[in-house]
Amino acid sequence: MGLLENKTALISGAARGIGRAIAEALATEGADLILCDLKAEWLEDTAAAVTALGRKVVCVSADVSNGEQVTAAVKQGVEEFGRIDVLVNNAGITKDGLMMRMSEEDWDAVLSINLKGTFLLTKAVSRIMMKQRSGAIVNIASIIGLIGNAGQCNYAASKAGVIALTKSTAKELAGRNIRVNAIAPGFIESKMTEVLPEAVREKMLDAIPMKRFGLAEDIAKVTAFLAGENSGYITGQVLTVSGGMVM
């Protein structure tokens, strides 16, 4: 029996990368899934993978920075499954650039998706969980929210905000048996890291004691742990998954 048998999980940014890996990990543990992304058609491959694992799935489209769309997406998921036991706030974007050259539009876009989106989904789903008197929320932050990074002041601010939001909501919701935790991934193998010049990759790897980039599956496994009852006495924590880069 899986760790999430008879549970329903909502995952934002589920179309690809870490989001898809999380969807497959939670489905493997027995969860039925509400998959959310900006466009529902982007979710077809993830939905097919989840269905192949024998789980039920519903795909919803929403701009997570839009409160009305978030409310509608959550309502659609509840109408399908009747409950939401796990929320994974994974949707996020980057618009990198040095602070002196960064436009207000790029600042606002990153904060709106990464931080406001996490707030809106947490607010909407926590109302369901409070009625159930149970739930687990996992926010995907970043080590950049802990240590900062030149050229990413908007992204760093958004992820630091996610960490602070995690701790505050954990305190607010603990009395209703709702746990809220965050994961701070380090450098994760992706299409972006694949095309980096070898010298750049080597420099990045030199900063990682384990001498490898992380995989999306590394984040997915920790998410499944925080979503299940094996972490039943853990809340308000930030688990850094960085191969030792940040300790």
Side-chain angles (χ1 to χ4, degrees):
M1 187 173 181
L3 296 173
L4 298 172
E5 207 74 33
N6 301 317
K7 303 287 188 181
T8 296
L10 190 158
I11 305 166
S12 69
R16 59 184 67 85
I18 290 174
R20 175 170 175 171
I22 290 172
E24 293 185 26
L26 300 194
T28 298
E29 293 294 345
D32 294 323
L33 300 182
I34 304 162
L35 304 177
C36 178
D37 218 305
L38 189 59
K39 295 184 180 180
E41 56 264 31
W42 294 355
L43 294 161
E44 291 177 358
D45 289 345
T46 305
V50 170
T51 302
L53 291 168
R55 308 315 310 166
K56 297 177 182 177
V57 61
V58 60
C59 297
V60 299
S61 61
D63 174 351
V64 295
S65 68
N66 183 300
E68 291 183 358
Q69 292 185 32
V70 166
T71 298
V74 171
K75 181 180 179 182
Q76 185 179 343
V78 173
E79 287 175 349
E80 180 71 23
F81 293 115
R83 61 187 295 118
I84 299 176
D85 302 286
V86 177
L87 168 64
V88 181
N89 282 304
N90 171 69
I93 63 170
T94 58
K95 287 184 178 290
D96 296 346
L98 294 174
M99 181 186 68
M100 296 301 293
R101 300 174 185 169
M102 184 174 291
S103 67
E104 287 186 42
E105 290 77 13
D106 284 353
W107 173 272
D108 289 344
V110 171
L111 270 290
S112 290
I113 297 295
N114 297 6
L115 182 53
K116 183 182 177 183
T118 299
F119 159 72
L120 289 174
L121 266 170
T122 299
K123 181 178 179 180
V125 173
S126 64
R127 287 172 172 164
I128 309 300
M129 292 179 172
M130 287 176 76
K131 293 178 181 177
Q132 298 167 178
R133 291 189 173 271
S134 67
I137 298 172
V138 183
N139 297 324
I140 306 302
S142 170
I143 60 167
I144 303 305
L146 294 169
I147 63 174
N149 195 32
Q152 288 191 304
C153 66
N154 51 359
Y155 184 75
S158 72
K159 293 302 187 177
V162 167
I163 289 169
L165 178 65
T166 297
K167 293 178 178 293
S168 295
T169 51
K171 290 183 177 181
E172 290 188 16
L173 299 174
R176 294 296 183 98
N177 196 34
I178 301 167
R179 299 178 296 105
V180 189
N181 293 290
I183 298 172
F187 289 126
I188 303 301
E189 195 75 65
S190 65
K191 291 181 179 179
M192 181 185 74
T193 55
E194 286 174 2
V195 301
L196 289 173
E198 191 59 32
V200 175
R201 286 177 59 90
E202 289 180 4
K203 185 176 180 180
M204 293 169 70
L205 285 170
D206 281 343
I208 304 172
M210 291 187 72
K211 300 305 177 188
R212 73 169 177 89
F213 292 118
L215 302 175
E217 289 74 17
D218 292 319
I219 309 305
K221 290 173 184 177
V222 178
T223 304
F225 166 69
L226 290 174
E229 288 306 313
N230 283 349
S231 60
Y233 199 52
I234 299 175
T235 195
Q237 302 305 304
V238 182
L239 294 187
T240 302
V241 185
S242 67
M245 183 179 175
V246 175
M247 296 187 185

